[in-house]
Amino acid sequence: MNSKITFYSGAEEVTGANFLLDTGTTRLLVDCGTREEHGADASTQEPFAYDPRSVDVLLVTHAHQDHIGRIPKLVRDGFRGSIYSTPATRDIAAIMFNDALSLMQVKMEETGEHPAYESRDVEESLSLWQTHEYHEPFDIADMRVEMLDSGHILGAAMMRISRAGRSILFTGDIGNTPEPLLSDTETPSGVQYLVMESVYGDRIHEGREDRKKHLREVIEDTRQRNGILLIPSFSIERTQILLSEINDMVEREHLTPLPVYLDAPLATRVTEVFKRYTGLFNEAAREKITAGDDLFAFKGLTVIDTTRESRALHEAPDPKIIIAGAGMSSGGRIRAHEKAYLGRKDATVLMVGYQAPGSLGRRLEDGAKSVRIDDEWVRVHARIEALTGYSGHADRDQLMDFIENAGESLERAFIVMGEPKSSLFLAQRAKDFLNADTYVPVRGETVTVEL
């Protein structure tokens, strides 16, 4: 029995996961996300390369925008099939949809551009949604689907699809295991095919102890220089991990509290979801909670709500730390803070996750001497630091281990969701060191698999 996989997006690029598995009788879509490298707004508006009405099922690996951002548009354009994910993914997705809609409505008021979808499309999307826990198999036509823990963000799942005694695993994003909050990434053993990410396929993160040490050093340096530390942070997982790590330093490792401002309303709402799903945390995190520790609060932390409060932070005395979205500085409140502080030599900007090509964060990371923020050129005198150890993505060696753990059953691994150089590097390394059959598809390509 043969099936076809079409890599509509998410191939030759990091974001925009959108893969269609067609068995001949069932058309199953895995993820439907925005292509951040091409501008999330423009990407959301793009017409689909297939008829959404022809899709029977959508599987959602996790709730990052580059995996869910176009779902309400898919529904608006006619999709009426079932949507499946873990419960935590659905809850976070609901927050993300409404946040994106709010931003699109603001843009409409400013430019006249109509949103890609409306609130009724969000409501319709959520009404089509069904949830399953990890390791709770369910049937779709003649296929059986099981969700495995990817260890990437809260609720993130790898989708194992089995048919006629053979299996394919769509990884979504693979976690940077072990990490402070979540359980470890599960093994892909026993599958014939992998469709797997490769964001850090050619790079290695710093060690677990090194990353926390580095974070503390940057905080202490900010105190000594009486300066400002800006941390552009992703609202899902990175912000929560940063809060838990600083919590640990203050409450267990004798870090003298420094004023920390969480200026990210979206992250604050997502953190409330985290508090509802502590059963998904790893054992060490659960033990701290049982002992009475609020992992996301500590002395010196102030949660900022309104834009007025956000603007007032520029008058708050130094030293201080401001954690704000978005993680790539592509939008959100961090841009106003960067505009205010990038020109100061006593300021530091700390990148704690992947920065997509073309994003403001990537330009800063690459050493730009001046950047354009909201139609204004800003000179960069601040120090720019990167801390990849807090990335939510597995690095090169972890990805190699992941392929190796698939075992002798693996027949082919399709390497996607990475910059071309990263995907190609990982594919070649897996061939050379593991004798694995790897393939890097191009965007829009269709391949046949025995499934």
Side-chain angles (χ1 to χ4, degrees):
M1 301 176 72
N2 289 335
S3 299
K4 294 182 178 180
I5 307 171
T6 303
F7 302 90
Y8 281 109
S9 61
E12 299 183 293
E13 57 193 343
V14 175
T15 62
N18 194 215
F19 312 120
L20 183 69
L21 176 67
D22 189 344
T23 69
T25 57
T26 304
R27 288 167 61 83
L28 187 152
L29 200 64
V30 179
D31 288 338
C32 190
T34 52
R35 302 171 63 208
E36 303 291 329
E37 296 96 329
H38 301 268
D41 292 342
S43 168
T44 306
Q45 294 278 7
E46 287 178 359
F48 290 99
Y50 49 85
D51 183 356
R53 294 171 297 183
S54 71
V55 178
D56 300 299
V57 173
L58 170 61
L59 302 180
V60 180
T61 62
H62 66 283
H64 275 144
Q65 282 294 93
D66 61 323
H67 291 256
I68 65 166
R70 280 163 56 83
I71 291 176
K73 178 172 171 56
L74 188 78
V75 170
R76 181 171 186 160
D77 290 357
F79 172 77
R80 290 298 181 272
S82 296
I83 303 174
Y84 296 93
S85 78
T86 63
T89 291
R90 183 190 184 278
D91 287 357
I92 297 174
I95 295 173
M96 300 298 286
F97 291 154
N98 286 310
D99 182 73
L101 180 59
S102 296
L103 294 175
M104 285 189 285
Q105 289 170 337
V106 169
K107 186 173 183 179
M108 181 177 69
E109 294 172 1
E110 295 174 348
T111 68
E113 180 180 323
H114 288 283
Y117 55 81
E118 300 174 358
S119 58
R120 63 186 178 187
D121 303 310
V122 172
E123 294 169 3
E124 180 71 19
S125 299
L126 296 174
S127 74
L128 298 173
W129 217 293
Q130 301 180 42
T131 62
H132 292 273
E133 303 290 350
Y134 296 127
H135 307 296
E136 185 181 286
F138 56 97
D139 294 328
I140 297 173
D142 60 348
M143 293 172 283
R144 172 149 286 200
V145 179
E146 182 181 11
M147 301 184 193
L148 309 181
D149 193 342
S150 75
H152 174 58
I153 67 169
L154 189 77
M158 300 181 286
M159 300 293 178
R160 177 175 178 147
I161 303 168
S162 302
R163 181 173 184 247
R166 294 170 62 79
S167 298
I168 183 170
L169 185 74
F170 289 84
T171 68
D173 289 340
I174 300 170
N176 180 15
T177 293
E179 65 115 87
L181 294 177
L182 300 182
S183 299
D184 291 353
T185 302
E186 294 192 77
T187 176
S189 61
V191 301
Q192 281 68 50
Y193 300 102
L194 289 175
V195 177
M196 64 175 288
E197 69 123 309
S198 57
V199 171
Y200 286 95
D202 59 348
R203 284 160 286 176
I204 298 176
H205 301 320
E206 62 261 84
R208 299 296 180 276
E209 291 304 316
D210 290 339
R211 67 185 180 187
K212 194 171 184 179
K213 179 182 177 184
H214 188 177
L215 176 60
R216 179 161 185 155
E217 287 172 349
V218 173
I219 292 173
E220 294 286 14
D221 180 72
T222 299
R223 184 200 314 282
Q224 291 169 11
R225 297 201 298 160
N226 198 40
I228 304 97
L229 173 59
L230 299 182
I231 307 180
S233 187
F234 299 92
S235 295
I236 310 174
E237 205 69 35
R238 293 320 95 198
T239 294
Q240 290 76 29
I241 285 178
L242 283 172
L243 292 177
S244 70
E245 291 282 72
I246 299 174
N247 169 287
D248 230 28
M249 293 178 196
V250 170
E251 298 185 0
R252 292 178 175 80
E253 299 173 9
H254 311 294
L255 174 72
T256 303
L258 192 67
V260 178
Y261 299 96
L262 176 59
D263 189 19
L266 176 58
T268 300
R269 294 196 295 275
V270 170
T271 300
E272 293 305 311
V273 178
F274 271 66
K275 292 178 179 180
R276 296 202 300 270
Y277 286 97
T278 55
L280 297 179
F281 291 4
N282 60 41
E283 184 178 354
R286 292 198 306 271
E287 286 177 354
K288 292 177 184 177
I289 294 170
T290 301
D293 190 359
D294 182 343
L295 301 183
F296 310 117
F298 47 87
K299 185 177 180 181
L301 174 67
T302 301
V303 177
I304 302 300
D305 183 20
T306 67
T307 54
R308 182 178 179 180
E309 292 172 329
S310 178
R311 288 193 294 269
L313 291 181
H314 300 161
E315 305 303 321
D318 303 331
K320 59 179 176 264
I321 300 171
I322 300 175
I323 302 173
M328 299 182 195
S329 301
S330 53
R333 294 182 179 179
I334 191 64
R335 293 170 70 90
H337 300 310
E338 288 170 332
K339 187 186 295 187
Y341 291 117
L342 279 175
R344 289 179 49 170
K345 293 182 179 180
D346 63 348
T348 300
V349 180
L350 178 62
M351 307 297 183
V352 293
Y354 175 78
Q355 306 297 313
S359 67
L360 174 57
R362 184 62 166 264
R363 292 196 295 276
L364 290 171
E365 196 172 64
D366 287 346
K369 299 302 181 184
S370 63
V371 291
R372 194 175 182 87
I373 303 178
D374 302 330
D375 297 323
E376 181 180 329
W377 283 100
V378 179
R379 292 288 297 173
V380 180
H381 295 294
R383 293 169 53 187
I384 309 299
E385 299 255 1
L387 190 52
T388 64
Y390 284 110
S391 169
H393 295 267
D395 68 9
R396 183 198 72 195
D397 289 352
Q398 292 167 316
L399 292 170
M400 287 287 288
D401 288 343
F402 187 84
I403 295 171
E404 186 173 20
N405 288 337
E408 295 182 358
S409 67
L410 183 65
E411 296 175 12
R412 195 169 223 199
F414 298 97
I415 312 298
V416 296
M417 292 181 290
E419 294 177 45
K421 64 182 180 65
S422 178
S423 298
L424 291 166
F425 184 95
L426 179 65
Q428 189 61 52
R429 190 174 180 86
K431 286 179 182 178
D432 293 343
F433 288 87
L434 303 177
N435 196 30
D437 183 354
T438 58
Y439 183 69
V440 181
V442 300
R443 186 167 183 259
E445 183 176 0
T446 298
V447 300
T448 300
V449 293
E450 188 179 336
L451 182 73

